[in-house]
Each structure stands twice: as C-alpha cells, then as structure tokens.
Amino acid sequence: MHEIVEKVKSAGVVGAGGAGFPTWKKLDCQVDIIIANGAECEPLLQVDQILMENNTVRLIEGMKAAMEAVNAKKGVIATKSHYYQAVTALRREIENEKNIELFLMDSFYPAGDEKSLVYDITGEIIPSAKLPSDLGCVVLNIGTLCNIANALSDIPVTEKYVTVSGDVDKPQTILVPVGTSFKTLLEIAGFSGSQETHALIIGGPCMGYVENDWNSSVKKTTSGVLAVPLDHYLITQKNMPMSRQIRLAQAVCCQCTMCTQLCPRNAMGLNVEPHKVMRAAANSNPSIIGDINGLLACSSCGLCTYFGCTLGLSPSEVMTEFKNSLLAAGVRPQTENNVTPEDAILLKRVPTDRLMARMDLKKFDAPAPASTLQVNLETVRIPLSMHIGKPARPIVQTGQTVAKGQLIASILENELGADIHASIKGRISEVNENYIQIESIQEVS
C-alpha cells in the first residue's frame, strides 16, 4: 500500500461530506483524475465554502497527496461560481499549478451528487454497480482533502467543522471536537427554543435526518445541525410514518409523473421512476413497481418530495423504504448498457434558491461565518460507528487517561472501516458498544 494511503488510514480519514467511506480504501486504486467536491450540495450548509476560503493551502496539499497516491494526472476542484471568496482564494493558490484546475458550477440541487459531478466534468455517466474509479476518477470532499493533508503530518481526525443554522440567533460554522453534543452546538449558536418547540435536523434539510436525542454527538461526517420549528413543513414531511405516506398515496397520488420528470438520476438515463413506486405502494402491488434497477439507482436526494410533488407526498421516502427492503433481501443493482442522458438534462436542474423557496427555508438562509470561538468541553462522547464498514473496536478501558489524538478504537488489518482517536485530553469514563466517553482533564497553569 502506498505510504500516503497508510498515513490516511492511520489518521482515520473518512468521507467528511456525509457518506463516511474510508478514504484509505478509496485511494487504493489508480485513476487519471481527482475531483474535489466543493459544490456543498445541501441548502444552508457552509462548511465547504469556509474551508475553501480559509484552508486553501491545506486543501491543495491534500489534493496533491491524493493525486500522488492514485497516480492521477489532473486534479479538478468543483465548486459554485457564486462562492466568490472561495473562488478567489482557490484561483490565487492554484495560479502556478499546472495539473490542478477549477470547475465552476451554477447553483442547483443536487449539484454535489457524485454521479452528477462526474458527468459534468467528464461527460460520462457512472452506470449502476460501478464506481467513479471505473471511469478513471476519484471524488473527495473538501474536508476530506484537508484531513488528508493533516494525515501527512501524522495529525488524526479529531475535529469537525459544522454549520449550526436554522432558527438560531447566531448561525455559524464552528470547529468542534468529534463527540461534541448537538445541544452544546445549539447553545453556542444562541438557540432559545426547546424540544417542545423545535426539531433537530442533522445534515442538510433535504437528506438530513431528524435527531430526537439532542445529547447525541458530532461525527466525522457531521456537516450541519439545523434547528427547525416543529410545525414546519419540512419536519412534518420527515416525521410522517410510512403507513401514513402510503395512505396518502392511495388517496391523492394522481400519477402526474412530476417526481420522475424532475429526478436527476432519471435525467441521467438511469431509469429512476418514483411515480411507479408510488403506484405500487398505493396499490400494494410490487409487480407494478417498474424497473428494479432504476429503483436501486435512487440517490434519496429528496428532490421529488420537496420540489417535484405538489400534493405533499413523499416519493423519496417511499423509494428509500422500497430500496432498503430490496437491499436487505439481497437484491443488488446490475450494470446497464449504453446509459444515455436526456437531451434536456441541463434544463431540468432545479436552482437552489427555488428549492429553498418551495421548502420555506429562505427565512433561514443567512450567513453562517467561521467562528473564532475555542470550544473547551468537559465531556465528549465519540461514536464507534461513524463510517461505512464495521465499527471500530475500543482499545482503551474505563479510568484510562488519554491524550488528544491518541488511538482509542481500531479496525483489523483487512477490515473496511476507520480508526478513531481521542478528540480531547482526558479520562475514559465509559466504554460500550456504541461510544467511548471522555471526561476532560484541565491543564493546571
């Protein structure tokens, strides 16, 4: 294994944008292009913008290291053209770089979808059951590339930038130790509500999930913590039980096909047809579900629910439910032949501003600047499963003292997963199958 890949593995680097795929495994290949995903797909989130603007040197160091690891000839940083400060900083930093270039995009959703990004840059569609590496590309999040640069200096992943936004007094993007509670982040952002008045969305408004335990904590993949009033349309949709969604489909789904017409994956030629899945659900008849391979190609981006359907239905949730049931039953996607995007694929892209207006999010669309606050915590609760693959195994015991950056949980040599390190100096106060809790030891001056 390449020395850079070994350092990335030892540092516990995973996809920082949300998926959490172990980066060492992603770099264990040979490709022509490294693509840095700086599109910041979800509305309201601003982590990637801030990293591109303020951590530009580290980002380019990480890009060069990733290119060396996979023997890539070119690096492409893809971001939105209206991120003016970030674009300016990036142009200045790559001015003399012959093999790294910028790719500027319009603001549409889901711009950061991996398949969409590869298509925009290479003109090729990634078929089902294939990876970007099969087309000669590796796609890495901006935060992931910064963590790769840190790994070269033997600095493991112990901190994460998180945008705290929504119905808070002081929206901001803040660097916090992994294991920081969501409740602490809300306090920093001046949140004055409670669980009786608000819900908490972890991630972005479209693909994020509602978290009922506000004492849960930041993972290596956490990009957003959004406080939203309980009576907001978005929370109503996300909290709707599947049984009610199906009853609504039976009552009002008119098979207008708008969900399918606006599906980004369908426009790519991957035959994703939410209207047929809604028809199958409404009629309790799986035989009319349509193309199974198309169903499995759904990215669960939520565009069909939050923009396509005008009747308040949740096609994306029903799609995800069906997709997960098929995967649990052992059904796997098959690679299509001759996937061809629609001629109108670019005309079907939904501007992010229009999506936010439809979702009633414009009132929360405020700057969330980088915070200068130094966060000192009494306790962190570090999850053992915050990556794709098997959870890391604790190698520490209750009562043990650890330093920040010390390895506290590891994976076996050939396992898919990621090592985990202490995010603060302290004493281990609890170890169980889900997390390791550390109580801070304050320095005596």
Side-chain angles (χ1 to χ4, degrees):
M1 190 179 291
H2 197 286
E3 181 183 357
I4 292 173
V5 180
E6 285 283 8
K7 282 184 171 289
V8 167
K9 185 176 184 180
S10 296
V13 182
V14 303
F21 194 84
T23 304
W24 65 268
K25 187 66 174 176
K26 214 169 190 179
L27 292 178
D28 191 17
C29 64
Q30 297 288 292
V31 297
D32 296 324
I33 306 173
I34 290 287
I35 299 174
N37 187 351
E40 197 124 54
C41 190
E42 288 266 22
L44 303 184
L45 304 188
Q46 298 177 32
V47 169
D48 291 344
Q49 299 173 56
I50 285 170
L51 283 173
M52 288 185 289
E53 181 181 348
N54 299 329
N55 291 56
T56 321
V57 173
R58 280 312 230 184
L59 166 58
I60 301 305
E61 287 177 0
M63 172 69 89
K64 289 180 178 178
M67 290 171 64
E68 180 181 341
V70 301
N71 200 29
K73 301 176 180 65
K74 183 168 74 170
V76 179
I77 303 172
T79 191
K80 294 177 181 175
S81 57
H82 73 279
Y83 295 165
Y84 303 115
Q85 292 89 347
V87 170
T88 299
L90 289 167
R91 280 182 169 152
R92 183 171 56 246
E93 193 61 33
I94 66 171
E95 184 177 8
N96 298 316
E97 299 291 343
K98 296 180 180 179
N99 300 323
I100 300 176
E101 61 187 51
L102 274 181
F103 181 85
L104 300 183
M105 315 163 66
D106 293 332
S107 182
F108 63 91
Y109 180 82
D113 173 63
E114 193 170 68
K115 288 181 184 285
S116 176
L117 206 56
V118 170
Y119 170 71
D120 284 349
I121 291 171
T122 70
E124 297 185 74
I125 300 291
I126 305 171
S128 298
K130 294 293 185 180
L131 299 170
S133 56
D134 294 310
L135 272 63
C137 306
V138 165
V139 182
L140 297 168
N141 173 263
I142 296 298
T144 305
L145 287 166
C146 291
N147 287 334
I148 288 173
N150 288 337
L152 299 183
S153 301
D154 299 317
I155 301 172
V157 180
T158 62
E159 297 175 318
K160 183 70 175 71
Y161 274 97
V162 181
T163 295
V164 190
S165 189
D167 193 17
V168 298
D169 292 338
K170 297 176 289 185
Q172 57 193 281
T173 300
I174 184 166
L175 183 65
V176 295
V178 172
T180 302
S181 74
F182 299 140
K183 187 177 291 186
T184 298
L185 288 176
L186 291 174
E187 291 170 357
I188 293 171
F191 174 67
S192 57
S194 68
Q195 286 190 257
E196 283 68 46
T197 60
H198 288 72
L200 201 60
I201 296 176
I202 306 305
C206 296
M207 299 183 73
Y209 65 93
V210 176
E211 177 58 73
N212 294 318
D213 182 5
W214 292 19
N215 288 313
S216 293
S217 54
V218 170
K219 298 180 178 180
K220 295 178 183 180
T221 55
T222 305
S223 293
V225 174
L226 311 176
V228 182
L230 278 174
D231 60 358
H232 192 278
Y233 153 80
L234 180 60
I235 305 304
T236 302
Q237 290 294 104
K238 288 185 178 294
N239 281 338
M240 189 183 300
M242 183 56 57
S243 57
R244 177 168 173 75
Q245 292 174 17
I246 292 175
R247 287 200 302 273
L248 284 174
Q250 292 170 337
V252 301
C253 181
C254 63
Q255 289 290 288
C256 69
T257 75
M258 281 300 293
C259 53
T260 295
Q261 291 182 52
L262 286 172
C263 173
R265 291 285 176 93
N266 185 272
M268 288 182 196
L270 295 172
N271 208 27
V272 183
E273 300 174 303
H275 78 281
K276 291 186 178 179
V277 176
M278 294 296 282
R279 182 176 65 191
N283 289 278
S284 301
N285 185 358
S287 68
I288 58 174
I289 202 170
D291 183 0
I292 295 295
N293 214 50
L295 170 57
L296 294 174
C298 169
S299 68
S300 299
C301 72
L303 193 61
C304 55
T305 292
Y306 299 118
F307 195 85
C309 185
T310 59
L311 298 174
L313 305 180
S314 303
S316 60
E317 297 295 329
V318 178
M319 289 283 285
T320 300
E321 180 79 8
F322 274 68
K323 179 174 64 175
N324 290 342
S325 296
L326 288 170
L327 292 172
V331 180
R332 294 293 179 266
Q334 304 298 312
T335 300
E336 307 91 345
N337 294 318
N338 302 318
V339 179
T340 304
E342 294 182 13
D343 291 338
I345 183 171
L346 299 183
L347 299 178
K348 288 190 171 185
R349 289 180 166 172
V350 175
T352 304
D353 275 351
R354 289 188 62 191
L355 175 64
M356 285 197 291
R358 181 73 66 85
M359 296 176 71
D360 192 24
L361 293 176
K362 293 291 287 183
K363 56 192 171 188
F364 302 134
D365 186 22
S371 172
T372 57
L373 180 68
Q374 182 69 40
V375 179
N376 296 309
L377 301 173
E378 294 182 359
T379 304
V380 293
R381 184 175 288 180
I382 303 175
L384 294 172
S385 182
M386 44 184 167
H387 50 257
I388 289 175
K390 293 189 175 182
R393 296 171 175 82
I395 59 171
V396 291
Q397 297 178 342
T398 302
Q400 183 177 339
T401 298
V402 293
K404 180 179 178 179
Q406 181 176 331
L407 184 67
I408 58 174
S410 64
I411 57 170
L412 299 179
E413 181 65 28
N414 296 316
E415 275 185 343
L416 181 65
D419 288 346
I420 294 173
H421 304 77
S423 59
I424 63 172
K425 177 182 179 180
R427 184 174 291 106
I428 305 294
S429 59
E430 186 175 355
V431 177
N432 59 40
E433 61 182 9
N434 297 315
Y435 60 81
I436 296 174
Q437 184 167 292
I438 305 175
E439 304 289 343
S440 173
I441 296 177
Q442 300 297 330
E443 298 286 351
V444 177
S445 57

